[in-house]
Amino acid sequence: MSRASSMRLVALWSAFGLVHLVTAVAGWLYPSQPMGDVVLVYEPWSSAALSGGAIVGVTETWVYPQLALVPMLFAKILSTPLIAVLGASEAYLIAWAALVTVLDAIAFAVLVGRSPSQPRRIAAWFWITALLLLGPIAMYRIDAITVPLAVIGGLWLVRRPAAAAALLAIGAWIKIWPGALLLAAMVAARSRMRVLLTAAAVSAAVLIVLVAIGADTEIFGFLTEQTGRGLQIEAVAATPFLWLAIAGAARIEYSFDILTFQISAQGADAVSAVLTPLMAALVVVITVIGGLKASRGASFARLFPPFALSLVTTLIVMNKVGSPQFQTWLIAPVILWLVLDRTRAVAPALLVLALCAFTCLIYPLSYDALLRAETLPVAILTLRNVGLLVLLAVGIRALVHVPARRPSTTRE
């Protein structure tokens, strides 16, 4: 390795470590409790499971797939030596930040290797920048565990498809969104059958274990638990209602059942009800487009990135929930796009960085003002949500324009 390459690698790893430290510390300093979920729900869930109490996803219905409990439990175990000195909450927060940093470091090492190419260096700098702009919400949520799994899985799809599929399937059993990358791989990759069979085997193994420990009636609770949710204030579809709230024609109310702020207004429930069917329909349309491109010989490098990004963005845009950590989902497909097809990934990458910055300005920096329906945070959130719609359009447009290697045959 040349001296210049060594210096670039040192710069990347130094920035990686510094940004993770800054982001972790910012969680203690920013307003609106950006670490709230970790200390207020993850830690109690873990403590209950380890002390013989209720086990979420097993003895009671849970909003997350069951493997999400595994990193929560691991963080609790890691925190044990620190509890006597720092207390249970602070120890758990530190253990959680350390766990996320270690997982990110493993994925970062897979990305950059010992002598990264220029596309991989650009992708690495993108990841570092996105984390810095998004702030503590990028670390202090269960979604942070799935990002490195998705990055490694995506990078391994060509040379290690079985391992890649296993990682993506595990990620989907922690938080559903990596399943979008898995679906794109099943369509776009040449090893699609190996990907499909591996993902099915991992899911079967998870289901067998869950049934064995008594989770039979709660296995798919993470799907049914979401059906009764209202329209969360940060969701893309909630944007018009926030402007109505400024005018006094809508209200922002807190739901104690699901611990989130929702829109209360005429028509909000109807909008919420149609979002999931619309999401499913758009996923089908995007998958059909991707399937047609794959059947006509489109290359994996051109097809997979916009395909995966379009699916992931659909899960955000058409969601009745608009949690700020959803922006972390966009990081992995853009990293993969930068690695596989850097030139066409520039616009999506810049859009995602802007979305991360806008999201941090909303939560946690101006969230209290947003809850009061003040004009400035509503305007920032509107820009963020319009940006998500633009990103979806950019992804679908790129997918439609993926070239086929062979022309489709036509009959006279």
Side-chain angles (χ1 to χ4, degrees):
M1 184 189 302
S2 67
R3 180 178 176 83
S5 297
S6 298
M7 292 299 293
R8 285 194 291 264
L9 197 58
V10 169
L12 278 171
W13 277 106
S14 298
F16 172 91
L18 179 61
V19 165
H20 275 76
L21 177 62
V22 168
T23 304
V25 172
W28 300 77
L29 304 176
Y30 280 10
S32 302
Q33 289 187 304
M35 305 184 298
D37 279 18
V38 173
V39 71
L40 297 178
V41 290
Y42 300 175
E43 195 277 334
W45 282 334
S46 305
S47 296
L50 292 173
S51 61
I55 303 176
V56 286
V58 177
T59 62
E60 60 183 52
T61 303
W62 199 27
V63 295
Y64 298 133
Q66 283 80 357
L67 288 190
L69 186 59
V70 174
M72 297 178 190
L73 293 173
F74 192 66
K76 183 62 180 178
I77 295 169
L78 283 177
S79 72
T80 303
L82 303 175
I83 292 176
V85 178
L86 301 173
S89 297
E90 288 75 9
Y92 192 81
L93 285 169
I94 291 174
W96 183 267
L99 176 60
V100 171
T101 301
V102 168
L103 291 175
D104 280 356
I106 294 171
F108 200 74
V110 173
L111 174 62
V112 301
R114 297 183 61 186
S115 182
S117 62
Q118 187 179 27
R120 286 178 177 257
R121 291 198 306 271
I122 292 172
W125 282 115
F126 163 80
W127 190 0
I128 293 168
T129 307
L131 180 64
L132 181 64
L133 292 175
L134 188 53
I137 199 69
M139 291 187 70
Y140 293 106
R141 291 294 187 274
I142 188 64
D143 308 69
I145 301 296
T146 59
V147 172
L149 296 179
V151 170
I152 299 173
L155 292 172
W156 281 358
L157 274 171
V158 174
R159 295 187 178 181
R160 302 181 180 93
L167 285 175
L168 293 175
I170 291 169
W173 274 99
I174 295 174
K175 197 72 185 281
I176 296 173
W177 76 267
L181 274 66
L182 198 55
L183 175 59
M186 290 177 188
V187 175
R190 292 184 178 180
S191 54
R192 56 182 63 89
M193 284 305 300
R194 192 181 305 177
V195 170
L196 173 60
L197 293 175
T198 303
V202 169
S203 296
V206 171
L207 291 172
I208 290 170
V209 171
L210 290 175
V211 171
I213 61 177
D216 50 348
T217 61
E218 310 295 340
I219 287 177
F220 297 109
F222 61 92
L223 297 176
T224 59
E225 191 76 0
Q226 301 289 339
T227 56
R229 299 189 73 150
L231 190 61
Q232 188 180 349
I233 61 172
E234 293 156 88
V236 173
T239 306
F241 294 103
L242 288 177
W243 289 101
L244 290 176
I246 292 176
R251 297 191 312 276
I252 296 172
E253 296 181 347
Y254 187 73
S255 170
F256 289 94
D257 292 333
I258 55 175
L259 308 178
T260 191
F261 289 93
Q262 300 182 160
I263 292 291
S264 177
Q266 185 176 0
D269 289 343
V271 171
S272 177
V274 302
L275 284 175
T276 300
L278 286 176
M279 179 194 295
L282 188 53
V283 166
V284 169
V285 170
I286 292 170
T287 303
V288 168
I289 296 172
L292 289 173
K293 295 292 182 178
S295 68
R296 295 173 181 174
S299 70
F300 178 82
R302 286 293 303 271
L303 176 58
F304 178 77
F307 191 3
L309 183 62
S310 297
L311 289 174
V312 171
T313 310
T314 297
L315 298 184
I316 300 173
V317 169
M318 296 298 178
N319 208 314
K320 64 178 72 175
V321 181
S323 300
Q325 63 267 24
F326 287 5
Q327 309 308 306
T328 61
W329 304 358
L330 301 170
I331 293 173
V334 171
I335 287 174
L336 300 175
W337 203 343
L338 286 166
V339 169
L340 294 171
D341 191 16
R342 181 189 59 189
T343 302
R344 295 171 186 85
V346 171
L350 293 176
L351 270 171
V352 169
L353 292 179
L355 292 170
C356 289
F358 282 137
T359 300
C360 186
L361 288 174
I362 299 157
Y363 185 87
L365 296 181
S366 63
Y367 199 64
D368 288 343
L370 177 66
L371 297 180
R372 295 190 296 268
E374 295 183 7
T375 303
L376 182 58
V378 171
I380 296 172
L381 181 55
T382 300
L383 287 174
R384 199 282 305 272
N385 288 344
V386 169
L388 282 167
L389 290 169
V390 172
L391 182 65
L392 178 59
V394 167
I396 293 175
R397 181 181 184 277
L399 177 61
V400 169
H401 286 86
V402 170
R405 286 181 175 175
R406 58 179 181 269
S408 58
T409 58
T410 58
R411 294 182 178 180
E412 296 295 326

